[in-house]
Amino acid sequence: MAQVTQDVNEGMPLEEERAKDEETGAIEETEAKAPEAETRTPSKKKLIVVTAVVLATIALIIGLSVGLTQSNKNDDSKTNTSLSIKPAEPKNNEETIMSAQNPNIDIFDNAAVVMNETKLELKELSSGEIMSYREFNKGQPHNLVYLPGFMTDDSLASILAVLPQFQDHHIIAVNPIGWNGSTMKKSVYAHEENADQVMELLEAIGIDQAIAMGYSTGGGIAFYLAQKYPDVITTAFLVHSIPLDGLRSVDENGKLVELDMGGLQRMVSIYPEERDALFQFFKTYSSHPETFIPEDHELVDYFYTAAVNMPGKVEAWKANFDFNVSPIKTQYSEPSMDLASLESNIVVIHGLNDIAVPADQVEHITKLAISDNWAPQGIISYYNDHEGHLVFVDNPVAFAKIYRTAFEEQVLIPNGINPNIKIFDDAAALLETTVREEKNLPSGETMSYREYNKGQPHKLVFLPGFGGDDTMTSVLAVLPQFQDHHIISVNPIGWYGSTMNTPLYSHEENADEVMELLKLIGVDQAMAMGYSTGGGIAFYLAQKYPNVITTAFLAHSIPLNGLRYVDLTGEVLDVESFDDVESMLDSFYPNDQDSLYDFIKTYFSSNPDGFPPKDHAINLYGAESSINMPGKAEATIANSVFNVCPIQGQYSEASNALALLKSKVIVIHGSEDMVVSPTQVESVTKLAIAEQWAPSGMVSYYDDGEGHMVIIDKPTAFADVYRKAFEEKVLHEQEQTGF
């Protein structure tokens, strides 16, 4: 790519005049005047079941045997003053755009709602300056001080505020001195000085500890907040930020140029003043123009106002060039020992397609700082390989995911905080208010279920894994990616909460029983999700009842040609009778809560730091479900004889069930799954797709780093993969066909 001069590098997309806050009631002056601005028998076939059968199946049990977590929450942590809005997770836009509609549009719409209903607050500082700010998601446990980039303001943070990865963040979006919404009575040419002003604001509004995020130019201010006030700012995220040794300015030939105030004024003058021209100017810096915020979007009005009304453009540019916290001399500044005095953590997040703040410069100086240990607390870097400078407005989901990974790894886990604790707490609270119901079936059995998020448009019938029950689904029900899903979580025959008067050894027969329940409760069309052992039941619901179950998601499910079983050493055990199966389960499967929890967490979790704490209230639900499941042996047998493929299984004959499919089957699995072998699942799934065994087609999605317990140890990661599959393979196809 041709070299781009640095003087047109920083900023955000913009547009038209900001919606007049005074007219919408969005500005509140707090302390100062606003600045302008039946008998069923198993197969006679010899059953070779291995310890892992139980494992796999067992791990399912995990589904609920494992406790989620209940932490002590104070009133503030329970209070979420963020708006109730439609799910913010958009259609996936990291690969091929699946729809003519911008896949980020829901995010932008939700952010506009938040902006219109969140007041701009003002504080007068001891310097006489007035500093403005907005607070999003008040009451959430993690304070995040957001510092905007050049020609942007607090409005950009509204996009973060509606994303799932920030729902436990109380975001204080500050407009520093010289930014739109704040005054600049005295020229401020140093990010360090601006950091002092921001800290005074934080003290005034009672923020005694937080993390900081500085975007672009704001990264310089965020750094000094962390360096000078480590007791308050424990970690600073420098996001697509100016490098640790400051910006460089090059001419059209790539030559470094000298800067004086006149030169700075000329640099600032290149930015168009007219809304449409300014929007198009910044869009040229987008690495995903096809998903860039639409020009006529309401948010762009806010962005435009921020851009044209920034009083300190020249001062901010000078501060960018003067900024240097490294022990090396630069074109514009002397060496500095600021990194050496760091007590807080610095996390650099950048994109390798950033042409506004050159990625090569940022990466070079960051790697040098890390290798030479310039900062005693260390510097950590994360890179969005395909993202550019305007990632907030052209690929916000990609940014939010990488930020969340960094936040959990560098902030939560090192401080002993379970990264999923809020999800577990919310799930436990939901369970307390969601009644388990039951229906008597024609077979004489009684089947129980819970319904979450009633009234939402997308019905999802959830079938739990071995040892799990309807309570596990509460974790999904509280995630943003499932907020438009009416989840009917069913306990099949032989699962805890439902009866098993007659032994049932077949997932197909269990699917028939589940369908009887769906008829009784008026579910005439839905999707199904079968987790682990439940995947066999979900498959037959789709295969036998396509008019009702239009799509089946097999999530970390038993393979299409049945489960293989091995013990923890990989040895296969021969089990020839039903009694042998029961005996094996009894000798292998823990029957007390603590032992079961430890067993599952030790062997089946790929993320023990995010696994539900043992003492969480919801663990009582899980232990009860796991230990008291009446059909353990029956479900184990059903797993081994399950085969819907035209190939011989280890424990079953070939089948033509896939050939009869009219509904869609989507396989979601993980490379770290030790219970249901990902190698086996992937090989048979790929074969089914390649040979077109299913006339309606099959698709597979893999969450590369996830294990069998993903729903409870990495719930957000699972929800992201599910949502991608749901939007690409269900919603998009509905849009295409009109059904």
Side-chain angles (χ1 to χ4, degrees):
M1 179 176 293
Q3 179 126 24
V4 180
T5 58
Q6 183 63 47
D7 55 348
V8 293
N9 285 341
E10 268 231 16
M12 258 294 313
L14 322 157
E15 304 206 15
E16 236 163 10
E17 194 174 42
R18 167 176 275 188
K20 302 272 195 258
D21 282 336
E22 294 88 347
E23 296 175 4
T24 62
I27 297 181
E28 176 179 63
E29 185 169 337
T30 58
E31 295 185 8
K33 181 178 179 181
E36 294 183 83
E38 188 170 81
T39 294
R40 306 162 174 121
T41 58
S43 169
K44 305 281 190 221
K45 215 178 208 354
K46 176 181 179 181
L47 281 177
I48 299 183
V49 180
V50 211
T51 284
V53 76
V54 188
L55 291 183
T57 275
I58 224 179
L60 262 79
I61 189 177
I62 292 177
L64 243 44
S65 144
V66 30
L68 298 189
T69 64
Q70 179 150 12
S71 67
N72 296 323
K73 298 186 287 184
N74 57 29
D75 291 340
D76 285 344
S77 67
K78 291 180 181 179
T79 304
N80 183 354
T81 59
S82 58
L83 303 173
S84 293
I85 52 183
K86 55 189 173 182
E89 186 78 359
K91 299 174 184 176
N92 176 270
N93 63 344
E94 297 172 6
E95 299 170 357
T96 302
I97 301 305
M98 302 300 298
S99 170
Q101 183 187 43
N102 189 323
N104 294 322
I105 199 65
D106 284 351
I107 295 175
F108 302 143
D109 288 350
N110 290 342
V113 171
V114 166
M115 278 300 296
N116 291 335
E117 300 190 18
T118 304
K119 294 178 181 178
L120 184 71
E121 310 279 1
L122 305 166
K123 285 289 181 183
E124 184 171 359
L125 307 178
S126 60
S127 63
E129 300 284 4
I130 294 172
M131 188 170 284
S132 66
Y133 63 99
R134 275 187 172 90
E135 295 185 75
F136 303 101
N137 303 339
K138 275 188 175 182
Q140 293 306 313
H142 306 299
N143 292 328
L144 172 66
V145 179
Y146 174 82
L147 291 314
F150 182 77
M151 294 175 68
T152 71
D153 65 0
D154 58 87
S155 59
L156 196 58
S158 65
I159 294 175
L160 305 182
V162 301
L163 292 167
Q165 294 83 353
F166 288 87
Q167 290 312 292
D168 55 356
H169 283 47
H170 167 205
I171 303 175
I172 306 100
V174 178
N175 299 311
I177 301 304
W179 266 251
N180 177 56
S182 296
T183 61
M184 191 184 67
K185 297 177 181 179
K186 170 185 174 294
S187 294
V188 176
Y189 293 101
H191 292 320
E192 181 177 3
E193 185 179 353
N194 224 326
D196 294 335
Q197 303 277 285
V198 173
M199 181 51 60
E200 185 178 338
L201 169 70
L202 298 180
E203 292 173 350
I205 65 177
I207 302 299
D208 55 4
Q209 194 165 84
I211 55 178
M213 177 188 289
Y215 168 62
S216 194
T217 295
I221 302 174
F223 173 86
Y224 278 113
L225 282 173
Q227 190 258 354
K228 300 185 71 174
Y229 307 100
D231 291 339
V232 179
I233 304 299
T234 57
T235 300
F237 290 86
L238 310 186
V239 176
H240 288 254
S241 169
I242 55 175
L244 298 173
D245 57 345
L247 281 181
R248 306 287 189 273
S249 180
V250 297
D251 60 22
E252 61 275 10
N253 299 314
K255 180 181 178 181
L256 287 171
V257 299
E258 297 294 336
L259 293 175
D260 54 17
M261 291 305 295
L264 288 168
Q265 291 280 6
R266 288 190 295 274
M267 290 174 63
V268 170
S269 69
I270 70 170
Y271 293 94
E273 289 287 331
E274 191 270 331
R275 183 187 188 277
D276 292 346
L278 190 56
F279 177 86
Q280 295 301 328
F281 178 86
F282 280 109
K283 190 174 182 180
T284 62
Y285 288 93
S286 172
S287 58
H288 298 282
E290 73 280 5
T291 60
F292 201 72
I293 188 169
E295 184 174 0
D296 61 354
H297 199 278
E298 180 181 359
L299 269 188
V300 177
D301 294 335
Y302 285 104
F303 300 161
Y304 175 71
T305 300
V308 299
N309 292 330
M310 179 180 182
K313 291 185 178 76
V314 171
E315 290 80 359
W317 268 116
K318 188 173 190 306
N320 282 340
F321 292 120
D322 290 344
F323 180 77
N324 184 5
V325 299
S326 73
I328 59 175
K329 182 176 178 59
T330 73
Q331 181 187 7
Y332 308 118
S333 60
E334 295 299 320
S336 165
M337 295 302 294
D338 290 339
L339 276 169
S341 60
L342 265 178
E343 296 180 28
S344 297
N345 296 323
I346 297 295
V347 182
V348 174
I349 299 178
H350 213 75
L352 299 185
N353 278 349
D354 195 325
I355 59 174
V357 178
D360 55 353
Q361 183 188 351
V362 171
E363 188 173 16
H364 170 76
I365 192 68
T366 302
K367 286 183 176 180
L368 188 58
I370 294 172
S371 64
D372 288 353
N373 297 316
W374 288 349
Q377 296 302 308
I379 297 176
I380 308 97
S381 61
Y382 292 76
Y383 289 93
N384 298 296
D385 289 350
H386 305 294
E387 308 314 322
H389 198 66
L390 304 180
V391 64
F392 285 16
V393 293
D394 63 12
N395 205 354
V397 174
F399 170 74
K401 288 180 181 179
I402 198 166
Y403 165 76
R404 189 71 198 191
T405 297
F407 172 67
E408 293 183 358
E409 293 179 351
Q410 308 305 330
V411 178
L412 296 186
I413 293 173
N415 288 289
I417 302 173
N418 189 312
N420 299 318
I421 195 65
K422 184 179 186 297
I423 295 172
F424 301 148
D425 288 344
D426 290 348
L430 180 61
L431 274 171
E432 292 176 4
T433 61
T434 306
V435 177
R436 174 178 283 175
E437 303 183 60
E438 59 182 37
K439 291 291 181 181
N440 296 323
L441 306 181
S443 64
E445 302 285 5
T446 298
M447 187 172 285
S448 66
Y449 63 98
R450 275 187 170 92
E451 294 187 73
Y452 302 98
N453 304 338
K454 279 187 177 182
Q456 295 304 314
H458 306 296
K459 290 187 173 68
L460 178 67
V461 179
F462 183 86
L463 293 311
F466 181 91
D469 66 357
D470 55 68
T471 57
M472 183 183 191
T473 327
S474 63
V475 175
L476 301 183
V478 301
L479 295 172
Q481 296 89 337
F482 288 88
Q483 291 309 291
D484 54 357
H485 283 46
H486 170 193
I487 304 175
I488 305 100
S489 187
V490 178
N491 301 311
I493 300 305
W495 267 251
Y496 181 70
S498 295
T499 62
M500 189 181 65
N501 299 322
T502 303
L504 194 159
Y505 306 96
S506 162
H507 291 323
E508 182 176 1
E509 291 179 72
N510 223 326
D512 294 337
E513 298 281 49
V514 171
M515 184 51 60
E516 291 293 341
L517 171 70
L518 298 181
K519 292 176 183 176
L520 290 172
I521 63 176
V523 176
D524 54 4
Q525 192 167 86
M527 303 176 297
M529 177 188 288
Y531 167 62
S532 196
T533 295
I537 302 174
F539 173 86
Y540 278 115
L541 282 172
Q543 190 256 1
K544 300 184 72 173
Y545 306 100
N547 291 332
V548 178
I549 303 300
T550 57
T551 302
F553 292 89
L554 310 186
H556 287 254
S557 169
I558 56 176
L560 298 172
N561 59 340
L563 202 56
R564 307 290 190 271
Y565 300 112
V566 295
D567 64 16
L568 296 176
T569 68
E571 180 183 357
V572 176
L573 303 179
D574 292 343
V575 181
E576 300 184 7
S577 69
F578 180 80
D579 289 342
D580 286 345
V581 172
E582 289 190 309
S583 177
M584 180 183 66
L585 287 168
D586 290 342
S587 65
F588 165 100
Y589 195 66
N591 277 312
D592 67 276
Q593 179 181 334
D594 289 349
S595 298
L596 185 60
Y597 176 89
D598 293 340
F599 174 79
I600 293 174
K601 182 177 180 180
T602 300
Y603 291 106
F604 303 124
S605 175
S606 61
N607 183 32
D609 289 319
F611 204 72
K614 183 181 292 189
D615 61 353
H616 199 282
I618 202 170
N619 190 44
L620 297 176
Y621 291 104
E624 187 176 14
S625 161
S626 299
I627 294 170
N628 296 313
M629 178 182 181
K632 290 186 180 77
E634 290 80 0
T636 297
I637 292 171
N639 281 338
S640 59
V641 300
F642 177 77
N643 188 359
V644 298
C645 298
I647 57 174
Q648 177 77 41
Q650 186 173 357
Y651 312 120
S652 59
E653 300 296 337
S655 165
N656 70 340
L658 276 170
L660 302 176
L661 265 180
K662 295 182 181 178
S663 297
K664 184 179 298 297
V665 169
I666 300 172
V667 176
I668 299 177
H669 214 73
S671 61
E672 298 297 317
D673 196 320
M674 296 175 59
V675 178
V676 181
S677 165
T679 301
Q680 183 186 354
V681 170
E682 189 172 8
S683 62
V684 73
T685 302
K686 286 183 175 179
L687 189 58
I689 294 172
E691 299 297 331
Q692 299 182 356
W693 289 345
S696 60
M698 291 183 64
V699 237
S700 62
Y701 289 77
Y702 289 87
D703 35 15
D704 289 342
E706 312 315 323
H708 199 68
M709 304 314 303
V710 62
I711 292 180
I712 55 173
D713 62 11
K714 286 192 175 181
T716 300
F718 171 77
D720 285 339
V721 175
Y722 166 76
R723 190 74 195 189
K724 172 183 170 71
F726 169 66
E727 293 188 343
E728 292 181 354
K729 301 304 177 183
V730 178
L731 291 186
H732 172 66
E733 294 191 8
Q734 288 175 350
E735 292 171 359
Q736 297 294 98
T737 63
F739 295 101

